[in-house]
Amino acid sequence: MSSDQTVRAFLANLQANHRGLADAQRQVSTGKRILTPSDDPVGVAVALGLRRDQAANEAWGRNIDDSLTWLNTTDSALGQSLDVVQRARELAVQGGNGTLSQSARELIASEVQSLKAQFVEIGNSTLAGRFVFGGAATDRQPFDPATQTAVAPVNTSPITREVAQGSLVSVNITADRLQKPPGATPDVFTVMDDLSAALGANDSAGIAEALSRLDAHMGNISALRGETAAKVNRLELTASRFEAQAIATGSQLAEIEAVDLAEAITDLTMREAVYQAALATGARIMQPSLVDFLR
């Protein structure tokens, strides 16, 4: 082999050693095994798929968090409205006592009227400026404080959230369902007006009928709370599944992309030694050629 061939072979080997040393240094400094797609094409494809799944799960997770906040706010308002109806029922029972004076019944009737305003206030509950019982029209209050009735037309559109692949959940309870149970029972405002009138007129039959209707409203609101709780449970289970999936995905990504640091440092040390040896060898090979040239 001529001197030129020896030098070219040496330089090619030196460059290869330098590339290997640089790759080993990058792996140690970044902690990643895959630095370019050519390092592991199959691993890169799998990692990209896992990252797509991660991004989708994170987006659904945000929808779940928003939905849970909405549902918990709704449940709180439903609980308060149930307390209002429960109080109206207690007043109805109290007012049905035949020994009460007319003035006492009128005081009870006055409290029943105040409960209407309280129900309106609860029905206009908001979350971040959005009316939770407003249907899809969350920027419009569903109950009118002046008339103490639902604002017509009542928006009955559901608010849905995508919480998983192809899985939609309606997160809202609309004003029509809050104020009136299914069937012939009048809305809660009418029932309270009728109860107030019956108390004022000492109408035992009217008070008894109001009691029955208030029971229907309590059953309706309790059913709405049960519906809300079921959705909360479902979303919490879905969120738990995503959390477990995120841990598993993270572990798999680490196995694909992360470098074994101990092994990488050993490799780096070996390559540094090889590179230093190559330089020393090159110096010894090239020195006689330079002397020969000078001669």
Side-chain angles (χ1 to χ4, degrees):
M1 180 179 292
S2 67
S3 296
D4 288 347
Q5 289 175 324
T6 301
V7 170
R8 283 197 295 272
F10 163 73
L11 291 176
N13 292 331
L14 186 64
Q15 289 175 348
N17 286 336
H18 186 266
R19 285 195 297 272
L21 177 60
D23 289 343
Q25 287 175 332
R26 281 197 295 270
Q27 286 187 346
V28 171
S29 62
T30 63
K32 291 185 177 298
R33 182 179 65 85
I34 301 176
L35 301 174
T36 62
S38 61
D39 291 338
D40 184 355
V42 176
V44 169
V46 174
L48 287 175
L50 291 174
R51 291 196 183 283
R52 281 197 297 271
D53 291 345
Q54 272 189 331
N57 290 347
E58 287 171 1
W60 287 324
R62 288 190 291 274
N63 284 347
I64 288 174
D65 290 342
D66 180 71
S67 300
L68 285 174
T69 302
W70 191 278
L71 287 168
N72 287 328
T73 302
T74 300
D75 181 65
S76 176
L78 288 173
Q80 293 169 5
S81 64
L82 186 60
D83 290 342
V84 170
V85 178
Q86 173 68 40
R87 178 58 183 163
R89 190 185 189 285
E90 291 171 359
L91 292 173
V93 172
Q94 184 179 356
N97 186 339
T99 62
L100 285 179
S101 64
Q102 180 63 29
S103 60
R105 279 195 295 272
E106 287 176 354
L107 285 174
I108 294 173
S110 175
E111 183 175 347
V112 170
Q113 285 298 311
S114 70
L115 289 177
K116 286 176 59 184
Q118 191 173 349
F119 198 95
V120 167
E121 182 180 330
I122 295 168
N124 286 333
S125 297
T126 60
L127 174 63
R130 298 173 294 175
F131 292 96
V132 296
F133 295 107
T138 56
D139 59 343
R140 185 171 65 97
Q141 63 181 11
F143 295 99
D144 186 348
T147 62
Q148 296 185 338
T149 57
V151 176
V154 176
N155 190 303
T156 59
S157 299
I159 297 175
T160 57
R161 298 277 190 275
E162 183 176 350
V163 296
Q165 182 67 44
S167 180
L168 298 175
V169 173
S170 170
V171 298
N172 65 322
I173 300 292
T174 51
D176 59 315
R177 300 181 66 196
L178 173 64
Q179 72 168 356
K180 184 181 180 311
T185 303
D187 65 71
V188 68
F189 304 109
T190 301
V191 171
M192 289 189 188
D193 280 338
D194 292 344
L195 172 60
S196 183
L199 288 168
N202 194 18
D203 179 2
S204 299
I207 294 173
E209 186 177 23
L211 270 173
S212 174
R213 290 172 172 175
L214 288 171
D215 285 341
H217 277 280
M218 291 178 62
N220 176 58
I221 295 173
S222 295
L224 294 177
R225 293 195 75 184
E227 177 182 323
T228 302
K231 291 176 180 177
V232 168
N233 289 338
R234 174 186 171 185
L235 292 178
E236 287 179 343
L237 287 173
T238 303
S240 297
R241 179 165 58 85
F242 284 157
E243 289 174 1
Q245 190 173 344
I247 294 173
T249 302
S251 298
Q252 190 174 357
L253 277 172
E255 290 177 1
I256 294 172
E257 296 179 333
V259 69
D260 183 330
L261 197 56
E263 182 180 335
I265 291 174
T266 301
D267 183 58
L268 173 61
T269 303
M270 183 191 69
R271 289 183 181 278
E272 285 176 339
V274 170
Y275 187 68
Q276 292 296 331
L279 287 174
T281 301
R284 296 182 63 180
I285 292 174
M286 296 177 68
Q287 189 174 19
S289 299
L290 178 59
V291 172
D292 292 342
F293 174 77
L294 292 175
R295 286 177 179 172

